[in-house]
Amino acid sequence: MTLTRRLALACAALACSATLAHAADPWPSRPLKIVVPYPPGGSSDIIARSISQQLSASLKQPVIVENKPGANGNLGADFVAKSAPDGYTLLLCDLGALAISPSVYTRLPFNPSKDLRGAAMLAYSPHLLVVHPSVKANNLKELVELSKTSDLNFAVTATGSAPHLAGVELARATGAKWVYVPYKGGVQSVQDTVAGQTQVLMNGMLATYPHVQSGKLKLLGVSKRERMPLIGASPTIAEQGASGFETGSWQGVMLPAGTPPAIVRRLGETLVAAIRNPEVRARLTGQGAEVVTMSPAEVDGFFAAERDRWAKVVQQEKLQLD
């Protein structure tokens, strides 16, 4: 055997050993990244930062939260969908909103149903129907009547977002009339409604309720079937004439398809333990989020059901975008 041949075989053996050693590394062996596909300050961002320390302590690795906003959350989701399926890159977002994207966007650079898979559901917070304090309506009925005689701008986090379609469903159920004003995230839509540039808003409770508490926004209804103890005096939208109305922000974690089942299972269990931590739970509950957990399989089932639900609304309203 020639010297060149022996060197080639030796190099190949070393490369193989290195690959096997890397494959045998226990997961996790390096930092994890939670991608939030929205700007800082929204519901997904709040929850990601609430659990990151618990996650880091349990997995004994740094956990970094990175905001990648754009295209109604699709930019960050696409980034995760195309990341290595090794358990180190997580997507934390409103899963209901993500389920809407395949119906709204005619051309997505990824397929949420095929390129992502569920890891865990973490929390649910209803949408709050709020108005600027100057709006002369104190309940849903008065708002609907006002909308027929006055020009009302309805702020939405983005065209085709979950709050947008919640507004569409509400208008269909009540006959309300308003003009939808799209933004690039929930934070800006809230800020402009607080400033009076838009008059009506539906948005996740986590990011919206502090402005109700401060008196900067007026609460007219909650998009939950039962009243919430935290705001027990505030009626639900369902009991104000929109029978069965229920929408909200479902915060969960997705991983690239192909992530090994053992990693998915362990990560799902760790995420659920983190959100159930008494301090984390108490903090989120005080802000209006309920800890609602699901297993990976349950998340996938939820995602499929939400995709079918909103596809009908999108088709009826002809809301498709390029």
Side-chain angles (χ1 to χ4, degrees):
M1 183 182 296
T2 66
L3 178 60
T4 302
R5 176 64 174 165
R6 286 199 298 269
L7 286 173
L9 289 174
C11 289
L14 286 172
C16 182
S17 298
T19 300
L20 291 173
H22 181 72
D25 284 346
W27 181 91
S29 59
R30 52 189 172 87
L32 285 75
K33 178 189 294 183
I34 300 177
V35 174
V36 175
Y38 314 115
S43 299
S44 298
D45 185 67
I46 291 170
I47 289 179
R49 296 181 191 282
S50 295
I51 66 169
S52 60
Q53 290 186 349
Q54 294 294 328
L55 206 59
S56 178
S58 297
L59 297 175
K60 296 179 173 53
Q61 291 291 338
V63 175
I64 302 162
V65 177
E66 182 175 333
N67 298 88
K68 283 186 175 293
N72 195 16
N74 291 320
L75 187 66
D78 179 51
F79 175 84
V80 175
K82 292 174 179 173
S83 296
D86 52 14
Y88 290 99
T89 306
L90 295 64
L91 175 70
L92 197 160
C93 67
D94 182 344
L95 298 190
L98 184 63
I100 294 170
S101 292
S103 299
V104 171
Y105 293 91
T106 57
R107 291 180 293 180
L108 274 180
F110 70 107
N111 185 325
S113 302
K114 295 181 179 180
D115 299 335
L116 294 167
R117 66 149 306 164
M121 185 71 77
L122 301 176
Y124 162 79
S125 60
H127 291 133
L128 297 185
L129 173 63
V130 297
V131 295
H132 186 267
S134 66
V135 174
K136 295 181 175 10
N138 296 306
N139 54 53
L140 178 58
K141 182 179 179 180
E142 292 179 359
L143 179 65
V144 172
E145 291 304 313
L146 182 65
S147 74
K148 296 175 181 178
T149 60
S150 303
D151 294 331
L152 294 179
N153 289 325
F154 189 112
V156 294
T157 58
T159 299
S161 63
H164 180 194
L165 295 196
V168 169
E169 276 204 326
L170 182 60
R172 290 179 59 202
T174 62
K177 300 181 183 300
W178 38 53
V179 176
Y180 298 101
V181 179
Y183 288 88
K184 293 183 178 180
V187 174
Q188 188 61 49
S189 67
V190 172
Q191 289 174 346
D192 271 18
T193 308
V194 167
Q197 295 181 34
T198 48
Q199 293 76 48
V200 188
L201 171 75
M202 283 192 78
N203 196 48
M205 186 169 174
L206 267 178
T208 311
Y209 189 54
H211 299 285
V212 173
Q213 291 176 301
S214 68
K216 295 178 181 178
L217 292 173
K218 181 165 52 174
L219 176 61
L220 301 189
V222 185
S223 70
K224 197 172 185 294
R225 296 196 184 190
E226 304 86 21
R227 293 194 181 193
M228 298 185 67
L230 184 63
I231 47 176
S234 299
T236 67
I237 291 172
E239 68 182 284
Q240 295 185 73
S243 179
F245 187 90
E246 185 172 25
T247 61
S249 181
W250 295 87
Q251 306 300 324
V253 173
M254 304 287 271
L255 297 168
T259 301
I263 292 179
V264 174
R265 183 172 57 254
R266 184 181 172 195
L267 189 52
E269 292 170 352
T270 307
L271 285 161
V272 168
I275 200 76
R276 287 180 177 173
N277 174 275
E279 291 184 8
V280 174
R281 183 194 288 265
R283 183 164 63 252
L284 293 176
T285 300
Q287 294 175 283
E290 299 178 29
V291 172
V292 178
T293 59
M294 295 183 191
S295 68
E298 289 170 332
V299 171
D300 290 336
F302 168 88
F303 191 80
E306 285 292 284
R307 186 182 62 240
D308 293 342
R309 172 192 177 184
W310 292 114
K312 296 174 184 176
V313 177
V314 170
Q315 184 177 20
Q316 290 168 348
E317 297 297 321
K318 297 181 173 61
L319 293 175
Q320 285 192 326
L321 302 172
D322 289 333

